[in-house]
Amino acid sequence: MLDIKNLHVAVGGKEILKGLNLRVEAGQVHAIMGPNGSGKSTLSYVLAGRAGYDITEGSISYNGEDLVPLPPEERAAKGVFLAMQYPVEIPGVTTMMFLKSALNAQRRSRGEAEMDAIGVLKTVRKKAAALNVSEEMLKRALNVGFSGGEKKRLEILQMALFEPKLAILDETDSGLDIDALRLVAEGVNGLRSPERAMLVITHYQRLLDYIVPDRIHVLAKGRIVAEGGKELALELEAKGYEQIVKDAA
Amino acid sequence: MSSAALETKETVAGLGEKYKYGFVTDIEMERAPKGLSEDTVRYISAKKGEPDWMLEWRLGAFRRWLSMKEPTWARVHYPAIDYQDAYYYAAPKNTPKKQSLDEVDPKLLETYKKLGIPLHEQMALAGVAVDAVFDSVSVATTFKEKLNEAGVIFCPISEAIRDYPDLVKKYLGTVVPVTDNFFATLNSAVFSDGTFVYVPKGVRCPMELSTYFRINASETGQFERTLIVADEGSFVSYLEGCTAPKRDENQLHAAVVELVALDNAEIKYSTVQNWYPGDENGLGGIYNFVTKRGDCRGARSKISWTQVETGSAITWKYPSCILRGDESVGEFYSIAIANNYQQADTGTKMIHLGKNTRSRIISKGISAGKAQNTYRGLVSVYGKAENARNFTQCDSLLIGGECGAHTVPYIESRNPSARIEHEATTSKIAEDQLFYCLQRGIGQEEAVALIVNGFCKEVLQQLPMEFAVEAQKLVGISLEGSVG
Ligand SMILES: Nc1ncnc2c1ncn2[C@@H]1O[C@H](COP(=O)(O)OP(=O)(O)O)[C@@H](O)[C@H]1O
Ligand SMILES: [Mg+2]
């Protein structure tokens, strides 16, 4: 589904990713772990197509298609979803209104019929209940005054709503208490499917107790320095990143 | 949603072009000779079949105007206007009185269709009475009967001058005096038509009143005059929408609007102004130099201005309230969008004269491209205005790095009991907001429209429902191409 080869990315002229290789098959959940500043968010932004993240070398193929020339909104319509580390506030735009605009923009782009307000409302309500996203939250301006946990739950709600093919979760666990973490993990696990690939980015091993990955990659200084099964998370927890990075060198 | 609202939405959605009102209707026009003199004023007055007192009023204004200077204090720049190089009267030829819409030139009706206000449909669906002003002459007035039943007068001002001279004499020029300012005085001399509304005591006007103004003939200034009087305990909501065709030359539009609210009366006046703004290089567009003022003459009266200003090359406009009656209330809700080379200098004046008067100002200015957008507002509390209150919220949003936003609040208080609050913010559409929208599949232009509409929400909420939908679309259309 996703095949990244020798990816070099520069931000503001500074190289952040330095030859990254990664393959994720449909149906799999991969975790990316790494210390702060190793380039995890950079990778997620590049996959989503954010402006200012320049690919200087390498390739990204998504379902056999070159992802690089596609603008972000087309990637979204083709099923690339990024749950952001820092979800953004948009004053005056109700959450419900935003969800409807996004859902219909994606549908239009895929040549599907738009959903009317009532259809969207019904669909959203069904999925919102499971994530403990209240009706009241949906009426508030997008992310404005939301707690950290509320913001992250809303990201997962959007993932459930858009039903992406490739979901990237950038530190969705950070800042969550244990109950919120469980809720989010349940949401994610509920979306595991043979047609869907997930890339779960995290700094801590904790999340992987709840979302058990098929494979773990350790990112340090812009490269994958170690890979393994789910047991790698425990090793990381025990030894710390520094040791793993050293071992790999 | 009512079918009328759906109609508005579809009509707007169906028109893809950036400035979708930029067409010219090919109808033979009858014009006054070019230029401005006493003869021009007499010509206009004669064309209208006006009584002598009206002609004298106009001539007085004209003589006064000759001694006045064009104001230069606004933060707008334009080459000197040659007032002798324009026509001051233009009307479609052969317009004897129409008894029904069927008699109206089909080309005109087609024009209104393109504007998104099909009269037939509006009559059938919307319950909106439209007094359509095509250049200088009113060609179709609808819903007269229903309004008649309620005793509401809603007619072209030229008709009111003939049919209700006492009412017109009593109120015309009492809010915006003939001598008020250069453009208002010019208007007083040469105004060619406009709307008159009178709502009698205790009557709640049974429908939204609406006038669509449209400049069509080239090189013709439009000087319409609107007078709305709400008698004691009455209520009226009035909406004007404005569009003009694309032309390379600049055209002058100098309207005067006067509102009078007597004891316990309320007037809600909404404007969606979408005159041609000029092209991306600043060529052409309307000079919109307008004087709008409301007089809360009676106790506990209320006047509320809501404006969505997306068009015109230059906007110079300060809808104001004179809070004369005790406990009267004035409100000003404004969205002003300036893109490309547009210049907007707009705001309000709240003049507190009576006791316990209150005013509220919510201004949302959006600048994009190379545009300059100025909020200019005056809150003035006179000595006798015990316990006057004002709240002002003035927010600016910048799109891109080449535009400007300016806030010029003037505050004068001669009564220590006054409480005046002023809040102002300036922000940018953040890159991360845009990226967030894009990532969720919302394209660039839609994302900008969404964010800007969110920014303007408090003001959009003030518009009548049917028009709020259109205004939201307009906000998006007028900012197309402003990012990326
Ligand atoms: N906009 C930017 N401009 C310059 N450097 C950046 C920018 N964003 C991130 N970086 C740098 O790139 C590196 C990787 O950042 P990031 O991808 O956010 O790491 P992580 O998500 O793993 O903490 C850091 O050294 C950070 O300082
Ligand atoms: Mg990060």
Side-chain angles (χ1 to χ4, degrees):
Chain A
M1 161 141 333
L2 179 68
D3 193 3
I4 304 175
K5 284 194 180 119
N6 189 33
L7 185 67
H8 291 254
V9 172
V11 183
K14 183 180 157 202
E15 186 163 74
I16 310 288
L17 298 183
K18 304 166 183 171
L20 184 139
N21 293 293
L22 186 67
R23 254 184 92 90
V24 185
E25 299 301 335
Q28 292 192 333
V29 175
H30 287 215
I32 300 218
M33 301 185 71
N36 279 328
S38 57
K40 302 187 297 297
S41 291
T42 302
L43 173 63
S44 72
Y45 290 145
V46 167
L47 291 174
R50 187 168 190 163
Y53 291 74
D54 304 322
I55 297 174
T56 52
E57 221 186 309
S59 64
I60 307 170
S61 135
Y62 168 70
N63 285 328
E65 184 181 9
D66 182 5
L67 198 60
V68 177
L70 295 183
E73 64 274 27
E74 277 180 38
R75 299 184 195 197
K78 287 183 189 256
V80 176
F81 178 83
L82 167 61
M84 297 202 202
Q85 186 172 1
Y86 305 107
V88 175
E89 299 182 0
I90 305 186
V93 177
T94 65
T95 302
M96 195 62 210
M97 171 72 188
F98 181 83
L99 296 180
K100 177 168 174 267
S101 303
L103 190 64
N104 279 331
Q106 292 188 23
R107 293 176 70 97
R108 261 198 318 274
S109 174
R110 290 192 294 259
E112 298 165 12
E114 290 193 31
M115 257 169 127
D116 63 12
I118 295 172
V120 177
L121 190 70
K122 278 187 182 154
T123 314
V124 170
R125 271 191 187 144
K126 227 186 290 161
K127 312 217 168 190
L131 284 159
N132 203 9
V133 170
S134 66
E135 197 81 1
E136 187 264 339
M137 242 172 94
L138 295 170
K139 285 183 188 147
R140 272 152 59 191
L142 184 75
N143 287 320
V144 177
F146 285 26
S147 71
E150 284 175 330
K151 286 182 182 169
K152 295 300 173 77
R153 262 153 41 212
L154 186 63
E155 292 294 284
I156 301 305
L157 172 61
Q158 291 181 67
M159 174 163 90
L161 188 63
F162 304 146
E163 302 180 324
K165 296 200 181 78
L166 172 65
I168 306 148
L169 287 79
D170 189 3
E171 300 212 24
T172 301
D173 53 329
S174 63
L176 293 188
D177 63 31
I178 198 74
D179 290 335
L181 186 71
R182 225 177 247 142
L183 209 65
V184 164
E186 273 169 27
V188 173
N189 287 329
L191 288 166
R192 289 179 97 141
S193 108
E195 289 88 49
R196 184 171 291 133
M198 294 196 200
L199 207 51
V200 179
I201 295 173
T202 180
H203 183 73
Y204 302 105
Q205 175 271 336
R206 186 178 71 154
L207 178 67
L208 304 182
D209 290 342
Y210 297 92
I211 304 173
V212 181
D214 297 300
R215 198 143 182 88
I216 295 177
H217 312 262
V218 178
L219 181 61
K221 296 186 182 146
R223 271 194 206 98
I224 303 291
V225 295
E227 291 182 289
K230 55 181 184 278
E231 63 292 341
L232 182 58
L234 297 171
E235 197 187 328
L236 267 174
E237 188 80 345
K239 287 189 183 170
Y241 283 114
E242 231 168 286
Q243 194 56 45
I244 294 276
V245 173
K246 252 187 216 154
D247 291 355
Chain B
M1 204 188 299
S2 74
S3 47
L6 276 176
E7 169 78 22
T8 311
K9 206 169 153 182
E10 280 164 12
T11 320
V12 173
L15 297 156
E17 202 199 336
K18 269 194 191 163
Y19 189 77
K20 60 183 188 183
Y21 304 118
F23 51 84
V24 177
T25 307
D26 190 14
I27 293 177
E28 230 187 310
M29 303 299 287
E30 182 179 17
R31 289 173 164 166
K34 212 175 205 181
L36 184 53
S37 65
E38 283 204 7
D39 285 345
T40 321
V41 176
R42 286 177 199 281
Y43 178 98
I44 295 168
S45 189
K47 274 284 162 204
K48 298 273 154 195
E50 283 177 356
D52 286 347
W53 63 267
M54 197 65 237
L55 174 62
E56 286 311 315
W57 198 81
R58 287 176 181 275
L59 287 171
F62 178 70
R63 286 167 198 145
R64 176 75 184 205
W65 180 76
L66 289 174
S67 70
M68 293 170 91
K69 283 217 158 38
E70 206 169 320
T72 53
W73 44 263
R75 188 188 277 273
V76 295
H77 305 279
Y78 53 93
I81 298 170
D82 182 355
Y83 291 92
Q84 298 304 334
D85 191 30
Y87 295 99
Y88 289 84
Y89 181 84
K93 255 188 190 160
N94 305 322
T95 50
K97 277 251 152 287
K98 301 289 188 298
Q99 297 309 313
S100 79
L101 275 177
D102 300 338
E103 297 173 39
V104 174
D105 187 332
K107 271 190 191 159
L108 270 186
L109 292 180
E110 191 55 34
T111 303
Y112 292 126
K113 275 224 174 74
K114 284 196 224 166
L115 284 171
I117 41 159
L119 291 187
H120 286 290
E121 277 81 344
Q122 291 227 1
M123 286 181 76
L125 298 169
V128 177
V130 174
D131 174 18
V133 174
F134 190 86
D135 283 319
S136 309
V137 178
S138 293
V139 288
T141 303
T142 55
F143 272 89
K144 274 227 165 114
E145 271 173 40
K146 199 168 172 195
L147 292 171
N148 269 343
E149 265 169 44
V152 174
I153 303 170
F154 175 50
C155 66
I157 198 153
S158 49
E159 208 173 297
I161 290 166
R162 284 197 305 269
D163 299 349
Y164 311 99
D166 295 342
L167 275 175
V168 175
K169 266 191 213 168
K170 187 168 174 190
Y171 292 106
L172 188 73
T174 64
V175 186
V176 178
V178 168
T179 55
D180 192 77
N181 70 73
F182 184 85
F183 297 113
T185 305
L186 176 62
N187 173 288
S188 301
V190 301
F191 76 86
S192 39
D193 220 325
T195 300
F196 177 73
V197 177
Y198 173 78
V199 189
K201 274 184 195 170
V203 170
R204 204 183 155 81
C205 186
M207 61 191 74
E208 300 273 350
L209 302 181
S210 163
T211 305
Y212 273 76
F213 292 108
R214 172 158 171 76
I215 293 177
N216 188 60
S218 63
E219 293 176 75
T220 307
Q222 177 145 332
F223 304 91
E224 80 270 7
R225 183 110 197 170
T226 298
L227 174 60
I228 299 179
V229 180
D231 212 328
E232 291 172 20
S234 68
F235 170 82
V236 63
S237 170
Y238 181 89
L239 184 126
E240 66 172 348
C242 330
T243 53
K246 278 182 186 174
R247 277 183 206 292
D248 289 349
E249 77 230 54
N250 295 103
Q251 280 179 281
L252 177 63
H253 174 253
V256 171
V257 176
E258 296 180 279
L259 310 182
V260 181
L262 302 181
D263 287 357
N264 298 304
E266 179 177 349
I267 302 174
K268 196 169 158 50
Y269 192 104
S270 314
T271 304
V272 177
Q273 185 267 113
N274 184 30
W275 300 116
Y276 181 52
D279 68 9
E280 331 53 276
N281 302 311
L283 187 65
I286 298 291
Y287 293 162
N288 190 31
F289 299 155
V290 173
T291 305
K292 294 187 169 180
R293 196 172 302 153
D295 189 355
C296 285
R297 207 163 280 182
R300 292 166 304 279
S301 57
K302 179 175 174 183
I303 289 179
S304 178
W305 298 100
T306 303
Q307 60 173 25
V308 179
E309 302 282 324
T310 64
S312 294
I314 300 180
T315 296
W316 180 99
K317 179 181 171 194
Y318 315 89
S320 305
C321 297
I322 299 165
L323 303 169
R324 200 182 303 275
D326 290 346
E327 290 169 55
S328 60
V329 177
E331 293 177 338
F332 175 72
Y333 297 96
S334 170
I335 297 170
I337 298 180
N339 193 6
N340 297 320
Y341 286 87
Q342 279 178 281
Q343 308 174 59
D345 193 306
T346 182
T348 185
K349 293 183 215 169
M350 293 291 174
I351 313 293
H352 292 255
L353 302 177
K355 295 186 181 67
N356 298 310
T357 46
R358 287 178 206 304
S359 61
R360 183 178 167 80
I361 299 170
I362 308 285
S363 161
K364 306 277 179 177
I366 298 116
S367 320
K370 293 183 163 52
Q372 297 296 324
N373 202 334
T374 301
Y375 168 81
R376 189 182 300 277
L378 168 68
V379 176
S380 182
V381 177
Y382 279 62
K384 289 189 179 141
E386 286 297 321
N387 291 312
R389 299 277 177 272
N390 164 265
F391 174 75
T392 300
Q393 171 85 47
C394 207
D395 298 322
S396 304
L397 185 69
L398 301 174
I399 304 175
E402 289 182 89
C403 53
H406 316 273
T407 303
V408 191
Y410 303 93
I411 296 168
E412 303 168 353
S413 178
R414 283 179 226 114
N415 187 311
S417 67
R419 232 173 54 209
I420 298 170
E421 290 174 70
H422 180 96
E423 290 174 14
T425 65
T426 300
S427 51
K428 279 194 158 206
I429 287 195
E431 188 273 334
D432 61 351
Q433 284 178 322
L434 269 181
F435 173 64
Y436 191 87
C437 293
L438 295 175
Q439 205 298 305
R440 300 301 142 95
I442 301 170
Q444 188 101 284
E445 313 248 273
E446 194 186 344
V448 170
L450 191 74
I451 294 167
V452 172
N453 273 311
F455 173 76
C456 299
K457 189 178 187 186
E458 274 171 282
V459 175
L460 288 169
Q461 280 172 338
Q462 296 296 324
L463 286 173
M465 226 282 275
E466 286 85 345
F467 299 104
V469 178
E470 180 164 2
Q472 278 182 31
K473 297 269 181 190
L474 257 185
V475 165
I477 291 169
S478 57
L479 286 169
E480 271 172 21
S482 61
V483 177

